[in-house]
Amino acid sequence: MRELPKVYDPASVEKKVYDMWQKGGYFKGVIDPEKKPFSIVMPPPNVTGQLHMGHALDATLQDILIRYKRMQGYAALWLPGTDHAGIATQIKVEEELRKNEGLTRYDLGREKFLDRVWDWKNKYGDRIVEQQKVLGASCDWDRSSFTMDETRAKSVRETFCELYEKGLIYKGSRIINWCPKCRTALSDAEVEYKDMPGFFWHIRYPIEDSDEEFIIATTRPETMLGDSGVAVHPDDERYAHLVGKNAILPLVGRKLPIVADDYVELGFGTGAVKMTPCHDPNDYEVGLRHGLEQILVIDEDAKIINGGKYNGMDRYEARKAIVADLEEQGYLVKVEPYNHNVGCCYRCGTVVEPLTSPQWFVKMKPLAEAAIEVVKDGRIKFVPERFTKTYMNWMENVHDWCISRQLWWGHRIPAWYCDDCGEITVSRTDACECAHCGSRNIRQEEDVLDTWFSSALWPFSTMGWPEKTPELDYWYPTSVMVTGYDIIFFWVARMIFSGMEQMKEEPFRTVFIHGLVRDSQGRKMSKSLGNGIDPLEMAEKYGADALRFNLITGNSPGNDMRFYVEKCEAMRNFCNKIWNASRFVMMNLTVGDCRLPEKLETEDKWILSKLNQVIKEVCDNMDSFELGIAAGKIYDFIWDSYCDWYIELTKPRLNGEDAAAKESAQRVLLYVLTEILKLLHPFMPFITEEIWQALPHEGEALMIAEYPRFRQELCFPEDEVNFEMVMEAIKAVRARRAEMNVPPSRKSHLIIVTGKAKAFAEGEKFICKLAYASGIHVTDKLPESTEGMVSVITDNARMFMPMAELVDLEKERARMEKELANAKKQLDGQNAKLANENFVSRAPEHVVNLEREKKAKLEALIENLEDSLKKLG
RNA sequence: GGAGAAUUAGCUCAGCUGGUUAGAGCGCUCGCCUCACACGCGAGAGGUCAACGGUUCGAGUCCGCUAUUCUCCACCA
């Protein structure tokens, strides 16, 4: 047995233990028909990513689940990987290029630029993987995937082609969200709405051949250049006679058909709305209904086109110029401040420009059907359940998904345009000729796919689909998907319909949703605020185990949590507690046998019974994804039951002369400690493994040991009750002594009057040690006189300590009287409850019995107190 | 506009399907360097569980309503 330091030092342990696991090959998912499969695919972090607290939480939850199941004998697979993260990565490399060489991607050209991105990926892409290892992630690293590697590229192409062939992917000119800074289209999910201050400009729109006019308000006057109509509500009597006529667009002079459409809300504003089909999603729809002209006036750089004298101006510059001109020409009626929601790019924050543009789309309605069904009928469950509603609400209202991106970094869309016949050829292999006319005059689509398109396939692409692999056969559908609620629309929803469409089977059985890790003030951790706490720094300082425990205790599924460094400290202290308890066990160990002894003492049965309960509670909570509760139970058991009580209880035997008793104590200590380490291992893998390795053990590693199970033969309810009577007495004596400021060094004799003499007699050595008694006398008769004695009363015993000099008769009387009054009050309540006919007849029997017992106890207490008061003289 | 969450001790949070005197960590008070651990041990103080109403023998827990805070979705030009 080697000497262990007094303070646990995670830094010297974690790396070593992790390497040992890896060398042992314990992370590998092995297909075993004898075992039940359990699989998790990891949400792939971005290759550009640095591990943040969110990742740490995500990884910890998954690692706990996978280690738990692995120890329970499942064939566990945790499949890791990384995401190419289209925009994020491209921006990162472009920035570097600009900073270091003053070049843009256009200077390099597509191919050379992509070479650079791959270089970058190869250089830095594994950084986050290494960081996950620091946390103890037990992934099958050999099966690691990248969303743009060869296999995944195949999955993407296959999916794209299948969907295209089914008519579920189409190309068309639609209104989309355009980010002028990233210069790409975005999906609806990638637009974030922010409340921004702005203005309402009220503009006069004259009506052709009439003296009448509309006053039309807009927050974006520059879009008027693209106006092609004016809409009013069909029931709006003020304007009914104008429908069918034309309004005249100020500054431009264009005729604008006046149409009636119930998109216009009665009673809001002036009731007349300018229609700019090319730059507003609602106007676009209205325009389609009424055949309004589509006039694109803002281009991909957010500059004006088709706008006469304003051409070339930036959209905000044009706004100013147009407002000035309107004012000058008398069209501007008034300006009022107005706050409104503005769509912004989720990557760069730039205000998104809605514009019509030819893009590729996934037709969502048909796909959504199966995705709704599979959640509705419970094949996929959300934990916590409330997120089902979030999901359903979104899925039932989906719009077609714009999947083309005008980027270079990503899966290039496998479509070729024919210069001769103009048709599109979509192909699984790179096409050399047009599938329609055979022309070799074809060009591949320049656009790439939305990153989320490849992520959507993750649960099966990582297992090698479209090949029919044994992995898919064995581990698909996966067991659990662990992810944050912020990503339900981006990812979870898309994995579900993709899985249903491509695999005809749900991608996972359970979606386990967690919340966000916020700072101590409840703010989101972000780069711009600079309030992020680095998980690696925490792991280095307090240990990965402490960090993990911090992240999962004291919060419930789906809820946000605040991160406190102080809590890391507390958890580090817990590690130290376990460490020292283990040191104690090892220091006292003379045998290498970790089986339980034949003969068990009452205190042994007590701790074993407790352990058994904890095992059951932990497993129950794990199975219902209440990891925080499970961890809390283990914490309490270790600290309170094992350390504060059981270890103390073994000391008399360990320090005694009886060799057999000594050995039995050692063996129970070791047995329970080993069970504790197993229980705790999924949560704190490093320290538990390190200690386990140092203890006598069977098997190679704790991480592949069998998880504790509830064992009927180790339930000792009677001994438990008996022993807890003794514990209760000890606590009561300690409390009384503390109240009177008696130092532990001052021992006192103890007279115990009880009907349970046996239990107390057996507990003598503990009472002496832990209640600082010099000796005890157990009897069923009250002493003749209790004068000069301090009395302590518990449910099962009345105890007296002869400490005459400490007893202030008056104080003692007052204390007892207070206690008596309190007990009487409680008894009154109890009597009232039991006198209630309704309660007795309607409450379940065990509840009524409980109340009766309580009443009996109170009565006994009152009797004892009255008696003691009398004896006090 | 729609949906959801939160409101429990000074702080941060648990408390699952209603059933003893509502728990933990940190902080605080008192006493202890007790032969594993001062990153510790023992003992405490501190809560009309946001307000109101309801269901029930019984409500922190279920229902309704109100208030405050937060989040998501939709987006009235």
Side-chain angles (χ1 to χ4, degrees):
Chain A
M1 204 107 8
R2 65 197 135 93
E3 189 64 24
L4 294 174
K6 251 172 114 164
V7 172
Y8 173 61
D9 173 30
S12 67
V13 168
E14 292 178 355
K15 178 85 174 59
K16 180 191 75 186
V17 168
Y18 197 88
D19 288 346
M20 184 273 285
W21 287 330
Q22 272 202 301
K23 272 200 202 97
Y26 309 135
F27 297 166
K28 279 196 201 334
V30 180
I31 293 174
D32 183 347
E34 301 291 304
K35 291 182 173 180
K36 278 191 276 181
F38 182 87
S39 54
I40 296 179
V41 289
M42 179 196 278
N46 293 350
V47 278
T48 52
Q50 285 270 45
L51 196 86
H52 59 242
M53 270 313 164
H55 292 125
L57 173 63
D58 209 55
T60 300
L61 291 169
Q62 291 172 71
D63 196 47
I64 289 169
L65 291 176
I66 209 88
R67 283 179 187 271
Y68 171 65
K69 289 291 181 178
R70 192 185 286 127
M71 288 177 77
Q72 283 193 328
Y74 286 77
L77 172 69
W78 187 11
L79 215 42
T82 46
D83 194 298
H84 67 278
I87 301 183
T89 310
Q90 176 163 323
I91 289 177
K92 193 121 196 167
V93 177
E94 278 184 294
E95 266 171 16
E96 212 165 72
L97 203 60
R98 198 187 54 231
K99 234 194 285 169
N100 298 346
E101 302 167 52
L103 296 174
T104 69
R105 68 176 150 128
Y106 303 102
D107 294 330
L108 284 182
R110 186 170 189 136
E111 256 177 60
K112 278 201 179 128
F113 177 74
L114 284 179
D115 287 344
R116 292 292 186 97
V117 186
W118 277 107
D119 287 347
W120 193 93
K121 189 259 165 191
N122 292 331
K123 202 165 159 195
Y124 299 112
D126 279 345
R127 197 172 44 182
I128 194 147
V129 171
E130 292 310 309
Q131 294 172 335
Q132 287 170 331
K133 291 181 181 174
V134 170
L135 295 174
S138 60
C139 302
D140 188 346
W141 298 111
D142 297 339
R143 293 178 197 262
S144 194
S145 320
F146 176 52
T147 50
M148 259 174 65
D149 62 22
E150 214 176 300
T151 311
R152 265 44 68 179
K154 245 191 190 164
S155 314
V156 166
R157 273 219 181 174
E158 180 62 31
T159 305
F160 186 92
C161 293
E162 280 183 24
L163 292 176
Y164 182 78
E165 284 155 9
K166 290 177 195 159
L168 292 171
I169 283 183
Y170 63 90
K171 186 175 188 188
S173 186
R174 298 287 134 90
I175 190 151
I176 47 95
N177 307 292
W178 182 267
C179 175
K181 176 125 182 274
C182 300
R183 285 188 55 91
T184 180
L186 301 171
S187 68
D188 294 343
E190 287 166 319
V191 178
E192 276 175 1
Y193 288 87
K194 288 182 199 157
D195 205 31
M196 286 178 163
F199 296 94
F200 243 157
W201 283 274
H202 296 253
I203 303 164
R204 228 185 284 284
Y205 277 54
I207 290 163
E208 194 180 26
D209 304 326
S210 161
D211 297 338
E212 292 180 86
E213 61 179 16
F214 287 124
I215 306 293
I216 294 179
T218 179
T219 54
R220 303 199 52 200
E222 69 279 13
T223 61
M224 68 182 290
L225 299 172
D227 283 2
S228 60
V230 171
V232 297
H233 194 276
D235 301 335
D236 197 331
E237 287 168 15
R238 292 173 295 176
Y239 304 129
H241 64 290
L242 296 174
V243 174
K245 292 186 155 189
N246 292 319
I248 304 293
L249 182 59
L251 306 183
V252 178
R254 185 183 302 137
K255 288 184 186 174
L256 307 175
I258 298 166
V259 300
D261 195 290
D262 54 17
Y263 154 71
V264 179
E265 199 178 317
L266 270 173
F268 181 83
T270 59
V273 186
K274 66 195 249 338
M275 288 294 119
T276 321
C278 274
H279 298 285
D280 182 285
N282 293 307
D283 295 6
Y284 180 82
E285 295 297 326
V286 176
L288 286 184
R289 287 198 282 273
H290 300 279
L292 299 180
E293 199 187 343
Q294 294 189 4
I295 307 161
L296 194 72
V297 292
I298 298 171
D299 72 1
E300 295 174 350
D301 290 318
K303 290 194 170 130
I304 302 297
I305 49 169
N306 303 321
K309 66 179 261 207
Y310 306 104
N311 278 351
M313 285 186 188
D314 169 80
R315 52 187 165 167
Y316 297 114
E317 210 181 315
R319 180 180 296 177
K320 266 190 215 154
I322 286 167
V323 169
D325 290 348
L326 285 169
E327 183 158 30
E328 194 189 305
Q329 296 178 32
Y331 289 110
L332 190 66
V333 181
K334 65 171 175 178
V335 184
E336 56 184 5
Y338 186 74
N339 282 354
H340 59 149
N341 274 330
V342 181
C344 300
C345 171
Y346 85 127
R347 278 289 162 207
C348 70
T350 304
V351 173
V352 160
E353 186 59 47
L355 49 82
T356 50
S357 159
Q359 301 286 344
W360 292 85
F361 296 88
V362 174
K363 202 180 275 182
M364 285 305 301
K365 278 271 147 19
L367 290 168
E369 278 173 30
I372 288 168
E373 202 47 44
V374 74
V375 172
K376 213 177 240 169
D377 68 20
R379 271 175 289 165
I380 296 180
K381 273 209 283 287
F382 280 82
V383 176
E385 215 223 310
R386 64 174 186 271
F387 290 104
T388 309
K389 210 165 175 178
T390 313
Y391 168 84
M392 285 295 190
N393 186 41
W394 189 81
M395 204 46 115
E396 281 164 358
N397 297 295
V398 269
H399 299 292
D400 285 358
W401 174 20
C402 175
I403 49 169
S404 43
R405 296 290 177 276
Q406 288 62 50
L407 306 170
W408 289 350
W409 176 240
H411 291 281
R412 194 160 169 186
I413 291 175
W416 285 261
Y417 300 101
C418 178
D419 285 339
D420 292 327
C421 72
E423 293 290 331
I424 294 174
T425 301
V426 165
S427 169
R428 284 165 178 79
T429 52
D430 285 0
C432 334
E433 53 178 51
C434 173
H436 303 274
C437 70
S439 162
R440 302 192 139 258
N441 221 354
I442 56 172
R443 298 165 283 116
Q444 188 177 358
E445 168 65 81
E446 295 284 325
D447 293 354
V448 300
L449 288 166
D450 182 0
T451 302
W452 297 102
F453 190 90
S454 50
S455 317
L457 318 179
W458 198 238
F460 45 95
S461 71
T462 47
M463 294 192 192
W465 187 88
E467 300 300 321
K468 283 192 181 352
T469 64
E471 284 83 357
L472 278 172
D473 200 43
Y474 189 70
W475 278 304
Y476 190 93
T478 65
S479 313
V480 187
M481 169 53 59
V482 179
T483 193
Y485 61 69
D486 51 332
I487 219 166
I488 291 176
F489 308 130
F490 277 107
W491 195 41
V492 177
R494 286 162 180 172
M495 279 190 288
I496 292 176
F497 72 69
S498 300
M500 294 312 289
E501 184 62 21
Q502 305 310 131
M503 302 295 296
K504 303 298 170 208
E505 226 180 334
E506 67 276 15
F508 28 72
R509 299 257 145 85
T510 301
V511 187
F512 182 30
I513 302 283
H514 63 250
L516 263 38
V517 186
R518 299 172 174 279
D519 74 359
S520 60
Q521 292 165 58
R523 299 173 305 179
K524 226 167 161 169
M525 288 188 185
S526 75
K527 266 187 207 148
S528 52
L529 275 173
N531 61 343
I533 295 171
D534 182 3
L536 298 166
E537 201 184 307
M538 291 297 115
E540 201 190 321
K541 201 160 168 197
Y542 301 103
D545 291 326
L547 172 64
R548 289 167 64 116
F549 224 67
N550 180 350
L551 288 171
I552 56 129
T553 48
N555 79 310
S556 49
N559 286 355
D560 290 354
M561 61 176 300
R562 299 188 190 202
F563 191 92
Y564 281 86
V565 176
E566 295 89 323
K567 199 172 159 196
C568 271
E569 244 173 79
M571 295 308 147
R572 184 229 19 217
N573 294 352
F574 178 54
C575 289
N576 205 239
K577 189 75 187 171
I578 300 163
W579 184 254
N580 277 291
S582 307
R583 269 181 68 227
F584 174 81
V585 173
M586 282 184 233
M587 283 159 56
N588 284 289
L589 217 51
T590 55
V591 287
D593 195 340
C594 44
R595 285 170 313 168
L596 284 171
E598 296 279 305
K599 185 173 174 298
L600 295 169
E601 301 295 327
T602 313
E603 66 272 24
D604 298 336
K605 290 180 183 167
W606 171 77
I607 191 75
L608 289 168
S609 219
K610 282 284 196 199
L611 171 68
N612 219 10
Q613 277 166 32
V614 173
I615 290 170
K616 183 167 186 328
E617 287 169 346
V618 168
C619 292
D620 286 350
N621 281 295
M622 288 297 278
D623 295 340
S624 55
F625 296 94
E626 291 282 359
L627 309 197
I629 294 178
K633 301 264 183 205
I634 300 175
Y635 180 99
D636 290 342
F637 178 75
I638 293 178
W639 205 308
D640 297 342
S641 303
Y642 189 71
C643 293
D644 286 348
W645 282 99
Y646 189 67
I647 283 186
E648 294 307 321
L649 297 173
T650 59
K651 284 178 180 173
R653 269 189 285 168
L654 292 173
N655 299 330
E657 298 301 319
D658 183 340
K662 204 179 248 188
E663 189 187 319
S664 86
Q666 290 174 17
R667 279 162 65 165
V668 181
L669 273 171
L670 181 58
Y671 174 85
V672 178
L673 177 60
T674 306
E675 293 292 288
I676 281 173
L677 294 174
K678 289 179 196 166
L679 267 183
L680 184 61
H681 180 264
F683 303 89
M684 293 193 157
F686 292 109
I687 187 171
T688 50
E689 182 75 68
E690 172 73 5
I691 295 168
W692 188 86
Q693 293 289 347
L695 291 171
H697 60 264
E698 280 168 31
E700 284 175 41
L702 176 61
M703 77 162 280
I704 52 167
E706 194 192 339
Y707 205 70
R709 279 174 308 130
F710 178 80
R711 305 164 76 103
Q712 194 57 51
E713 71 272 23
L714 292 181
C715 284
F716 306 103
E718 216 173 294
D719 298 86
E720 211 184 309
V721 170
N722 281 337
F723 198 74
E724 275 173 2
M725 291 188 318
V726 175
M727 290 171 64
E728 205 191 334
I730 292 170
K731 281 191 230 179
V733 172
R734 278 178 185 164
R736 285 290 279 133
R737 292 176 56 108
E739 198 182 318
M740 297 186 303
N741 278 322
V742 188
S745 53
R746 236 199 103 197
K747 311 253 183 222
S748 157
H749 190 72
L750 199 61
I751 299 163
I752 303 174
V753 183
T754 176
K756 317 266 184 181
K758 191 162 172 274
F760 283 91
E762 276 178 4
E764 175 170 5
K765 56 189 172 188
F766 307 124
I767 296 169
C768 289
K769 180 173 161 52
L770 301 174
Y772 318 105
S774 53
I776 67 170
H777 174 63
V778 183
T779 168
D780 57 358
K781 279 203 292 285
L782 272 179
E784 290 296 309
S785 154
T786 59
E787 212 185 315
M789 291 191 188
V790 177
S791 86
V792 183
I793 300 176
T794 68
D795 284 347
N796 297 289
R798 297 175 63 186
M799 292 167 282
F800 300 93
M801 291 181 276
M803 300 182 100
E805 72 284 16
L806 285 173
V807 182
D808 178 327
L809 217 61
E810 280 320 302
K811 259 195 189 163
E812 187 70 358
R813 189 193 308 277
R815 193 187 62 79
M816 276 194 221
E817 268 163 2
K818 200 175 151 197
E819 209 176 322
L820 182 64
N822 189 27
K824 279 184 171 162
K825 206 175 128 197
Q826 276 190 50
L827 183 64
D828 286 347
Q830 213 56 32
N831 281 331
K833 202 172 205 177
L834 285 164
N836 184 340
E837 201 45 51
N838 276 326
F839 173 71
V840 180
S841 59
R842 294 196 201 189
E845 206 182 313
H846 73 273
V847 174
V848 178
N849 286 339
L850 226 59
E851 296 299 330
R852 290 208 172 106
E853 268 173 46
K854 202 172 134 189
K855 182 187 164 184
K857 274 184 190 171
L858 281 167
E859 280 168 349
L861 176 66
I862 288 167
E863 199 183 315
N864 282 340
L865 281 166
E866 281 173 342
D867 192 45
S868 297
L869 273 165
K870 235 185 279 165
K871 286 250 156 88
L872 212 56

